[in-house]
Amino acid sequence: VAPTTPVCEVPSSAMTGTVVRLSCKETEGSPPSEYQWYKNGVALLEKTGTGSARAANITYTMNKKSGTLLFNTVTKNDTGEYFCEASNGIGLSQKCSVKRMQV
């Protein structure tokens, strides 16, 4: 079953230095969808740990299975327009509407 349009939860504003969690979920797709987050139209890299992520100055963790994008400490650089895309290899991938987060 192809995925339906996912529901994205993006806070409209966040305080610098706080923990911010963005979520994306759709329930119709079978097999379960994987989620890809985008910022200002650019796909975010999946980083699950530290090390190389720190070197690239990446302040988030993206989980493609659960659809969460977690910022440990947001900075002004994280301000932007976010959306996510759900895909499971069946039919067309589906995107939620773009939401702006201001830090």
Side-chain angles (χ1 to χ4, degrees):
V1 179
T4 55
T5 302
V7 175
C8 295
E9 290 181 21
V10 178
S12 57
S13 64
M15 292 288 292
T16 305
T18 59
V19 175
V20 177
R21 180 190 178 104
L22 282 58
S23 67
C24 178
K25 199 75 187 152
E26 72 80 33
T27 54
E28 301 293 311
S30 180
S33 291
E34 288 205 343
Y35 303 96
Q36 171 66 52
W37 278 96
Y38 293 81
K39 176 189 173 187
N40 299 333
V42 179
L44 292 175
L45 297 170
E46 183 174 24
K47 294 289 183 191
T48 50
T50 51
S52 61
R54 282 191 194 283
N57 203 19
I58 291 173
T59 58
Y60 61 81
T61 308
M62 179 170 63
N63 185 322
K64 291 194 171 191
K65 297 271 192 254
S66 68
T68 56
L69 180 63
L70 185 69
F71 291 94
N72 289 326
T73 52
V74 290
T75 67
K76 289 195 185 316
N77 294 339
D78 295 318
T79 294
E81 296 186 336
Y82 291 85
F83 70 88
C84 95
E85 181 179 61
S87 59
N88 65 356
I90 298 170
L92 295 171
S93 59
Q94 297 287 334
K95 300 179 176 78
C96 67
S97 58
V98 174
K99 295 186 180 172
R100 182 169 178 81
M101 179 173 76
Q102 181 75 41
V103 181

